[in-house]
Each structure stands twice: as C-alpha cells, then as structure tokens.
C-alpha cells in the first residue's frame, strides 16, 4: 500500500454515537509512534509484516516480526519500537474501540480469545491467510474510492466487521498451538476468569441492567472487588463497559425496530422517557428522538418532522 486509507466515517462531521466507528489502514509505522518510540495503543491494532523484520516490545515482552507475521495489540497495550529494518513493508490496521467492542460482545466466548491474544500476540500467517487479508484491504480501498451514497456507511461497516472477525479468527486459530501448557496458568488467571464471567453476564443481559451491584450479586462478589478486577484486567471501569453495552443495544433498537421511544425505554427497564433520554444523551450527545430522526434523514434526506410538515 502506498497511501493511507481514509476513515470510513468522517470523524469531523459525524456527531452521533453510532457513526464514530471506523477502520484505518496504513503502511506508515509513525501512525502508532507519533513523537516517540514508546506509545500506549488506544485502538485495536494489527501490525502485519509483509516484508523485512521488526522488533517490538509489547507490554514489557519483546517480539520479533518476520515476513507474514502479524502482531495483535489489544487496546491499552504499551508498545515500544526497538528495531526496524530499512527494507520493511508493513501494513497497520486499526479498528476503533467502538467497532471492536461491538464485535467482541456478540459471542459469549470472545473474551477467552482476548486472554489468549494477550499472552500470545504474534502469529505467523499462511500464504492463503495473507491473500485473504489483502483482499479485504483492497475491497475497503475500492469502496471508499467510489462516490458515496446512502448505503456506503453500512456497507463499509459490514466489510470492516467481517475483516475484524476474519483477523481475530486467523490470530486465534493458532493460539492453542503457540500457548504451551506452561502458559495455560497465565491464560486462566483468577482475575481473567472473573472478568470473563462479568463480560459474559453483561453481554447476555443486553443492556437491561446498568448497575455494578446487579452483576456483583449475580457473580457473588462485592461491587468494589468486581470493579477493581475489571479495571485491572482491561483498564476500563466496569460501569463504562455496562453502559457501553446498553447503548449498543439501544442504538440497534432505535435503528432497526419499529417500536416507539416509550416502548424502547420500557424494554430497557427505564422508569420513564425522561430518564431514558437523559441516559442516552449523556453517552451519545443527542436524544433518542434526534438519533432516530438523523437515521431517517440519512435515508431520504428529510427528518420525520419535515415529513409531517409536508403532509
């Protein structure tokens, strides 16, 4: 690749929560290392070594990438560039936390995959896997280069989601081979076990309960202890993960269901519409009604209010 692929969503103009998903693909290592050789990874990042050799320290462990190796950097990872060959050819793929979170909460066992990827972040890709990866990159690049229409965002989002799932599958497929019995104890630390159970419970709940106390009681821990474990494992507050999960499901209802706002608020156990609207606006910047109107406007160029005025 000789150029950066633009965000699939224009970050400067997109204001609502749902449109903040994006994927970036670049061949420039300085996208990660801005002003120093040591950085904290904020996005779900894959570094693919197509040619040459790259030595990187990830979370205090040194890894050497050779041709067709891929490095998986989970969000909140500490990365340090040790050595880069001059003839390197790299492809760096960064998925937003919003997209990654949506994808990783769809399957109950996904957090177990994350545990393995944390321990064994480097994979050697087969020739066929490299071909598949490049096809995704070409597909996204080609789609971005065409004139935008009302379906382009959704199409790109589905392609990016499929690409993310494919790359997780490639990385995880060999993890059992790479993780020896000696590392199995580390893969299944008690804190990771608790965190995995917490995320499975949050995902299964689909946003109906939004307090740490609810999940702490379900898992038989104190709220303080559960919060500490979650923060330790993933670097985020438990309540943030709970609320993010709720917002994801609420957005899906607003976008794809025919239910009115009152019914959606009731389904998610909000006491009234006002509290529901305040919760949604606090996390997205707009009200549920505004969000739904924006979707309708994007589809036909008019808001629901404008339609009513023309009737």
């Amino acid at each position: 690749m000789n150029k950066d692929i633009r965000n699939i969503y224009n970050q400067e103009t997109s204001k609502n929560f749902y449109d903040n998903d994006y994927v970036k693909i670049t061949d420039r290592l300085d996208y990660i290392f801005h002003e120093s050789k040591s950085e904290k990874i904020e996005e779900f990042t894959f570094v693919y070594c197509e040619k040459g050799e790259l030595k990187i320290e990830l979370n205090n462990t040194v890894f050497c990438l050779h041709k067709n190796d891929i490095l998986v950097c989970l969000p909140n990872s500490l990365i340090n560039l040790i050595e880069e060959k001059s003839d390197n050819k790299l492809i760096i793929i960064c998925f937003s936390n919003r997209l990654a979170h949506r994808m990783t909460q769809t399957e109950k066992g996904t957090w177990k995959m994350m545990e393995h990827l944390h321990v064994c972040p480097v994979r050697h890709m087969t020739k066929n896997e490299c071909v598949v990866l490049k096809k995704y990159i070409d597909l996204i690049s080609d789609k971005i280069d065409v004139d935008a229409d009302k379906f382009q965002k959704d199409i790109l989002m589905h392609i990016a989601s499929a690409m993310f799932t494919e790359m997780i599958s490639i990385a995880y497929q060999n993890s059992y081979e790479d993780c020896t019995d000696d590392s199995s104890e580390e893969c299944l630390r008690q804190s990771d076990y608790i965190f995995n159970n917490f995320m499975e419970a949050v995902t299964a709940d689909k946003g109906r309960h939004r307090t740490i106390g609810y999940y702490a009681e379900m898992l038989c821990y104190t709220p303080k202890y559960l919060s500490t474990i979650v923060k330790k494992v993933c670097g985020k507050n438990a309540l943030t993960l709970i609320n993010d999960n709720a917002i994801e499901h609420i957005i899906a209802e607003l976008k794809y269901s025919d239910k009115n706002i009152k019914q959606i608020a009731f389904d998610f156990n909000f006491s009234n519409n006002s509290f529901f609207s305040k919760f949604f606006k606090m996390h997205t910047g707009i009200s549920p009604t505004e969000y739904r109107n924006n979707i309708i406007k994007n589809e036909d160029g008019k808001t629901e209010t404008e339609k009513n005025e023309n009737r």
Side-chain angles (χ1 to χ4, degrees), residues 30-133:
D30 58 9
Y31 178 77
I32 296 178
F33 301 101
H34 304 291
E35 298 180 355
S36 69
K37 291 187 176 182
S38 182
E39 297 287 345
K40 182 178 181 180
I41 296 291
E42 300 292 344
E43 302 162 320
F44 207 115
T45 303
F46 296 84
V47 180
Y48 168 52
C49 184
E50 189 173 6
K51 177 185 176 183
E53 184 176 305
L54 181 68
K55 188 176 291 185
I56 283 181
E57 182 181 51
L58 183 66
N59 296 323
N60 300 316
T61 302
V62 176
F63 298 96
C64 189
L65 274 67
H66 302 278
K67 181 180 178 180
N68 291 339
D69 283 349
I70 190 166
L71 174 72
V72 184
C73 304
L74 303 181
N76 299 308
S77 295
L78 297 176
I79 188 169
N80 180 47
L81 178 60
I82 297 178
E83 184 181 357
E84 178 189 9
K85 299 294 184 180
S86 59
D87 62 343
N88 271 356
K89 188 175 182 181
L90 305 173
I91 298 177
I92 300 168
I93 305 149
C94 303
F95 295 94
S96 72
N97 290 336
R98 183 59 49 208
L99 183 145
H101 180 70
R102 180 181 297 121
M103 297 306 300
T104 54
Q105 72 176 12
T106 57
E107 296 291 339
K108 289 186 65 176
T110 305
W111 285 104
K112 295 178 181 178
M113 297 182 190
M114 298 302 106
E115 292 170 11
H116 282 283
L117 294 177
H118 175 74
V119 176
C120 306
V122 177
R123 307 287 175 265
H124 182 74
M125 298 173 62
T126 66
K127 182 178 179 180
N128 181 63
E129 289 169 341
C130 294
V131 170
V132 171
L133 173 60

Side-chain angles (χ1 to χ4, degrees), residues 234-300:
C234 76
K236 289 186 177 182
N237 295 323
L239 190 58
T240 297
L241 296 175
I242 292 169
N243 288 336
D244 283 352
N245 177 69
I247 288 294
E248 292 294 337
H249 288 285
I250 291 170
I251 282 175
E253 287 293 311
L254 289 169
K255 185 169 185 178
Y256 299 112
S257 79
D258 295 327
K259 299 176 184 177
N260 59 38
I261 302 298
K262 183 177 180 180
Q263 181 60 50
I264 294 175
F266 177 81
D267 289 346
F268 282 90
N269 294 327
F270 287 93
S271 57
N272 54 61
N273 282 7
S274 177
F275 184 49
F276 173 61
S277 295
K278 287 180 180 178
F279 175 84
F280 189 84
K281 189 169 186 177
M282 179 174 66
H283 293 281
T284 67
I286 60 175
S287 70
T289 301
E290 289 172 327
Y291 177 81
R292 178 167 272 180
N293 283 348
N294 284 346
I295 295 174
I296 297 171
K297 186 174 183 178
N298 288 336
E299 290 177 349
D300 58 16

Side-chain angles (χ1 to χ4, degrees), residues 1 3-12 20-28 30-32 34 43-47 91-97 99 133 136-137 140-141 144 156 160 163-164 167:
M1 287 186 58
K3 64 177 182 177
D4 288 358
I5 293 183
R6 304 190 306 272
N7 288 358
I8 66 174
Y9 290 139
N10 187 332
Q11 297 297 295
E12 294 180 356
N20 280 336
D21 287 315
Y22 67 96
V23 59
K24 279 186 177 178
I25 305 174
T26 178
D27 58 3
R28 297 177 59 87
D30 58 9
Y31 178 77
I32 296 178
H34 304 291
E43 302 162 320
F44 207 115
T45 303
F46 296 84
V47 180
I91 298 177
I92 300 168
I93 305 149
C94 303
F95 295 94
S96 72
N97 290 336
L99 183 145
L133 173 60
Y136 274 111
I137 293 172
I140 291 177
S141 181
I144 289 177
L156 283 167
M163 182 182 184
F164 179 85
M167 296 186 70

Side-chain angles (χ1 to χ4, degrees), residues 194-239:
I194 294 172
F195 176 72
N196 182 60
N197 286 342
F198 167 73
M199 286 308 305
E200 288 187 358
V202 170
T203 301
D205 184 75
K206 298 183 178 180
R208 268 59 180 180
H209 297 88
R210 294 169 297 279
T211 66
I212 299 174
Y214 174 82
Y215 296 100
E217 183 178 358
M218 175 189 296
L219 300 173
C220 300
Y221 302 111
T222 66
K224 182 178 180 179
Y225 179 74
L226 181 60
S227 298
T228 301
I229 291 297
V230 172
K231 181 71 173 180
K232 176 183 176 183
V233 173
C234 76
K236 289 186 177 182
N237 295 323
L239 190 58

Side-chain angles (χ1 to χ4, degrees), residues 140-162:
I140 291 177
S141 181
D142 291 343
K143 186 60 184 175
I144 289 177
D145 287 340
V146 303
D147 293 334
D149 57 36
K150 66 179 182 179
F151 299 110
Q152 188 182 40
K153 284 186 178 182
D154 283 340
I155 292 171
L156 283 167
M157 179 55 64
H158 286 302
I159 296 173
S161 299

